[in-house]
Amino acid sequence: MSVRSKVIEAIQQIAKEQQVTLPALSDDLSLQETGFDSLAFAILVARLEDETGVDPFTISEDAAFPATVGDFVRAYENVPA
Amino acid sequence: MSPPEIFALRNHLGTELTGRTLSDAHDVVSLTDILSQTVLGGRLRELSGRAVLLKLSDQLRSGVAMIELDGIARRMLLCPPDLNPAHLDALIADAGIDAVVTDEPDRWAATGVSLVVIAQLPLQPADPAETERATEWLMLTSGTSGVPKVVGHTLEALTGAIVAEGPAKGPAPVWATFYDIRRYGGLQIFLRAILSGGSMVLSDPHEALPDHVARLIARGVSHISGTPSHWRKLLMSGSAAQFKPGYVRLSGEIADQAVLDGLKAAFPNSSIGHAYASTEAGVGFAVNDGLEGFPANYLGNRNGVEMKVVDGSLRIRSTRTAHAYIGRDAAALTDSEGFVDSGDIVELRGDRYYFVGRRGGIINIGGLKVHPEEIEAAINRHPDVLMSRAKSRRSPITGGIVVADVILADGTDQARAKEIRDQILDQCRAQLASHKVPAVIRFVEALDVTPAGKLARTDA
């Protein structure tokens, strides 16, 4: 499974658990518009760390938190293996 | 001639009740004849009026030595088996120790302790001793890092709850505990066995659980006590099938509804009770209605135990609490009104108080305080869960999140893991505030339990 589909699947799973109705997940969608609160993002980052072994937001000190879904996915894709 | 008002352990023993024993995995000693025998090689006289450190490698000799020393020594300090040897010097100084009872005399040859007495089996014949004084019992607190605190008790305070309950009905009980009798929870059971005219079966840290249970059955154990973690371990092992104790007791940790129900299912004909006690606060109360928590009307003055809740924490005043922390820099044990602050946080729901956790065990989730025990209780309600541990994990988004390690019941189909995880999360969401719901649930084979029988929380 690609990194992208892992990320999207995790977002959908958490949306289901948190009873958040997601809009269509395009790369341009701002993270704010997903309806996720900070707790939902914290859960997402923790689960993706368990699944992929990386937490791109802790590795790099100056990494700005992404603004869009596309930025978020790329943060995981761009981590050197 | 002993002063009539002082009762020592020896005054609860005598030849009128036959067949009483104290046993471990290797030896059996007769409690009926114990007053005319010695584990101290007949050197009890030398320990009269001394401050004695009891440092033995087994519980059996420790128990016999306690019986001999009580009423003779000025004070005795009980060392649990997991005591860090590096802390011994500080404890010896704090307690003013001037004698040691040991089975490893070589270790003490080069120390400043002037009197070293060897405890040995088999017991040897000796003249019965007379009670001389009320010995001060010193115990160590558990669960703290650094040098443990020394807590001072009297036998009267230690046995207050046992005496208040009155003599046991029916045949003399055979007590057992998963605890070590050199800790408060285990000592309570040892004292119950002595005062009730019964017998006691000691635990052995090196014995496999099925062997231990076989020994409990063979010795006819009727009353048994342990922490919820001890009991979950027994329920997990599947070795409890032939064991039919009359009374099952839990203490030392929060007894949640899941473990109470699990024990009721495993021991349908037993009375099951959970007791609230701590090394400092003594025995507070026992709850025997099969439900977690305790009735709100236990607050106030009840059977000589006064309880109140201050800032969410249970405070207790009674004659059963310890009387002081011992040592030069010892903090006050009670508040100005004589109440011991237990540090156990309770919450009133309806007409019952529920334990939610330890004040010192709070984890911080995005600035909100969370008791891991409260989350574990919610997880443990799932029928396929045997045991769980919640802890915080650092998060770059919120600072911290809750994660939980969960042990599933034996024989749970691994294919159902995802389904069970979703059910646990649903259940937690229904019962807990959203920040307390675990972000991640991991299924594990085992969880660490401390030597005191409590779920290890060191990395929480």
Side-chain angles (χ1 to χ4, degrees):
Chain A
M1 198 193 289
S2 72
V3 172
R4 172 173 293 266
S5 22
K6 276 185 192 166
V7 173
I8 299 298
E9 194 183 337
I11 291 175
Q12 283 164 344
Q13 168 74 22
I14 292 163
K16 203 169 87 188
E17 289 172 10
Q18 302 282 327
Q19 295 176 331
V20 170
T21 313
L22 284 173
L25 290 177
S26 71
D27 270 13
D28 296 340
L29 186 72
S30 84
L31 290 176
Q32 219 171 348
E33 288 167 325
T34 58
F36 271 29
D37 59 8
S38 59
L39 180 63
F41 280 115
I43 296 172
L44 177 62
V45 171
R47 291 206 190 152
L48 287 172
E49 184 184 358
D50 284 355
E51 204 170 325
T52 64
V54 290
D55 168 3
F57 310 107
T58 300
I59 290 173
S60 152
E61 273 179 19
D62 55 15
F65 197 75
T68 65
V69 170
D71 292 344
F72 188 86
V73 171
R74 276 188 292 280
Y76 285 89
E77 286 174 336
N78 293 340
V79 170
Chain B
M1 194 62 203
S2 62
E5 69 277 19
I6 298 174
F7 273 86
L9 281 184
R10 64 174 42 76
N11 305 108
H12 296 279
L13 291 155
T15 50
E16 62 274 15
L17 285 167
T18 55
R20 302 182 67 182
T21 60
L22 178 66
S23 63
D24 65 9
H26 311 286
D27 293 286
V28 182
V29 303
S30 161
L31 285 176
T32 305
D33 315 318
I34 203 84
L35 297 182
S36 52
Q37 297 190 310
T38 178
V39 74
L40 303 171
R43 296 179 64 192
L44 180 62
R45 298 295 333 143
E46 298 173 47
L47 296 165
S48 167
R50 294 274 196 156
V52 181
L53 180 81
L54 210 54
K55 180 82 177 75
L56 292 161
S57 45
D58 66 302
Q59 297 183 67
L60 185 62
R61 279 177 292 187
S62 300
V64 179
M66 286 180 218
I67 294 169
E68 278 195 75
L69 285 166
D70 185 47
I72 304 294
R74 180 166 62 84
R75 48 169 51 164
M76 63 174 144
L77 171 57
L78 312 184
C79 294
D82 54 315
L83 176 67
N84 182 344
H87 295 153
L88 265 176
D89 286 346
L91 294 172
I92 286 170
D94 277 349
I97 294 298
D98 58 11
V100 59
V101 169
T102 181
D103 53 336
E104 297 169 312
D106 296 346
R107 282 200 179 188
W108 295 91
T111 63
V113 181
S114 56
L115 180 60
V116 177
V117 171
I118 302 168
Q120 57 200 339
L121 291 173
L123 301 178
Q124 296 164 15
D127 291 331
E130 294 278 344
T131 298
E132 297 171 1
R133 57 176 61 76
T135 297
E136 189 180 21
W137 289 65
L138 305 186
M139 314 204 62
L140 301 179
T141 55
S142 64
T144 45
S145 49
V147 181
K149 286 183 188 154
V150 180
V151 179
H153 274 280
T154 60
L155 185 68
E156 197 183 357
L158 287 169
T159 57
I162 307 169
V163 172
E165 278 175 29
K169 296 167 199 78
V174 180
W175 272 101
T177 171
F178 297 103
Y179 284 109
D180 190 289
I181 62 168
R182 292 161 288 185
R183 287 203 174 283
Y184 190 88
L187 182 65
Q188 277 298 314
I189 302 308
F190 177 68
L191 295 174
R192 274 173 189 270
I194 303 285
L195 267 63
S196 65
S199 295
M200 169 134 196
V201 180
L202 300 166
S203 62
D204 182 326
H206 304 296
E207 188 174 37
L209 197 50
D211 297 337
H212 187 193
V213 176
R215 194 156 61 83
L216 299 175
I217 296 168
R219 296 237 160 253
V221 166
S222 60
H223 292 56
I224 178 163
S225 139
T227 61
S229 289
H230 287 136
W231 284 114
R232 289 191 188 99
K233 215 161 126 184
L234 181 73
L235 293 176
M236 272 157 70
S237 74
S239 44
Q242 305 302 315
F243 186 35
K244 294 182 172 57
Y247 178 58
V248 166
R249 182 180 175 98
L250 306 87
S251 67
E253 288 180 303
I254 298 171
D256 61 29
Q257 199 57 48
V259 73
L260 291 170
D261 292 348
L263 287 170
K264 193 72 221 168
F267 304 114
N269 300 314
S270 309
S271 322
I272 294 162
H274 55 104
Y276 177 79
S278 78
T279 310
E280 287 99 329
V283 177
F285 54 85
V287 180
N288 296 313
D289 61 8
L291 299 175
E292 63 183 332
F294 60 93
N297 63 16
Y298 278 24
L299 291 195
N301 192 337
R302 192 171 159 272
N303 307 328
V305 176
E306 290 172 86
M307 301 202 300
K308 60 179 180 180
V309 177
V310 179
D311 297 332
S313 154
L314 191 62
R315 295 197 182 195
I316 297 186
R317 178 167 70 182
S318 81
T319 53
R320 308 172 194 170
T321 64
H323 55 79
Y325 286 125
I326 308 294
R328 268 163 306 163
D329 305 318
L333 185 125
T334 61
D335 67 15
S336 56
E337 294 174 334
F339 281 85
V340 175
D341 182 357
S342 68
D344 287 314
I345 307 296
V346 294
E347 202 173 271
L348 183 64
R349 288 175 226 147
D351 56 0
R352 225 171 155 86
Y353 275 99
Y354 296 85
F355 289 100
V356 293
R358 296 279 307 155
R359 184 165 47 218
I362 288 172
I363 55 181
N364 191 319
I365 301 300
L368 297 165
K369 288 173 179 168
V370 176
H371 290 285
E373 295 93 336
E374 183 187 5
I375 300 165
E376 289 154 12
I379 297 172
N380 292 350
R381 276 179 212 130
H382 191 284
D384 291 316
V385 171
L386 262 173
M387 194 166 170
S388 62
R389 199 190 82 160
K391 55 187 175 179
S392 74
R393 174 162 141 192
R394 217 195 38 73
S395 162
I397 318 288
T398 55
I401 49 164
V402 175
V403 298
D405 289 341
V406 173
I407 303 179
L408 291 177
D410 228 15
T412 305
D413 182 0
Q414 287 308 308
R416 288 183 54 229
K418 181 174 164 11
E419 176 195 335
I420 292 171
R421 178 184 283 121
D422 288 345
Q423 289 168 351
I424 292 172
L425 286 174
D426 279 345
Q427 200 171 291
C428 287
R429 265 191 295 276
Q431 292 167 12
L432 300 170
S434 60
H435 65 285
K436 298 177 183 175
V437 175
V440 177
I441 288 179
R442 216 163 50 116
F443 294 117
V444 297
E445 293 293 315
L447 287 166
D448 281 348
V449 173
T450 68
K454 304 184 187 193
L455 196 57
R457 299 188 184 277
T458 45
D459 59 339

